[in-house]
Amino acid sequence: MRLSAPLLALAVSVLLSAAAFADCPRGEQPCGKLCYDPVRSQCLGGVVCANGEQACGGQCYSPVRSQCLNGVVCASGEQACGGQCYSPTRSKCLSGVVCQNNEQLCKGECYDPMRTTCK
């Protein structure tokens, strides 16, 4: 029996999927290259997280205490800026740089205009 190219590709795909399942212990399921117990955890985009957690930028977080902002996990009430979190009550985001509220941005650096000038 000779298989056509589409059928052969499908057969290979099914066999590879079965192999991925076979690599996990009984009762576990594959998630990317990892195995997980679906009773205690979940697969979210290739990331294994505990039940109740969410995935953000490749890591797990609790939505009760944290939030996902542009792929960064920040505490509730914080904001994201240039890949880091900051408290808007103490800091501000200026062109992707976190500066203190009394500071300004000069050539990508924060400075206090009451103490120095932008050079």
Side-chain angles (χ1 to χ4, degrees):
M1 179 171 113
R2 190 165 184 202
L3 294 175
S4 67
L7 285 177
L8 183 59
L10 178 62
V12 169
S13 175
V14 168
L15 288 173
L16 289 176
S17 295
F21 282 98
D23 291 340
C24 292
R26 186 181 188 120
E28 293 191 359
Q29 295 179 1
C31 179
K33 295 181 179 181
L34 301 173
C35 295
Y36 73 102
D37 179 355
V39 173
R40 292 189 296 243
S41 49
Q42 57 189 333
C43 180
L44 302 170
V47 178
V48 177
C49 297
N51 287 334
E53 291 185 332
Q54 294 179 4
C56 176
Q59 63 183 23
C60 302
Y61 73 99
S62 169
V64 174
R65 297 181 305 258
S66 306
Q67 58 187 336
C68 182
L69 302 170
N70 301 320
V72 178
V73 177
C74 295
S76 295
E78 290 185 333
Q79 296 293 317
C81 176
Q84 61 182 342
C85 302
Y86 72 97
S87 171
T89 59
R90 296 187 307 265
S91 308
K92 59 187 174 184
C93 183
L94 300 172
S95 300
V97 178
V98 177
C99 296
Q100 299 301 312
N101 280 334
N102 64 321
E103 295 178 326
Q104 294 179 6
L105 195 64
C106 176
K107 300 176 186 167
E109 300 286 328
C110 300
Y111 79 101
D112 183 347
M114 299 297 282
R115 296 180 181 207
T116 186
T117 59
C118 179
K119 297 178 183 180

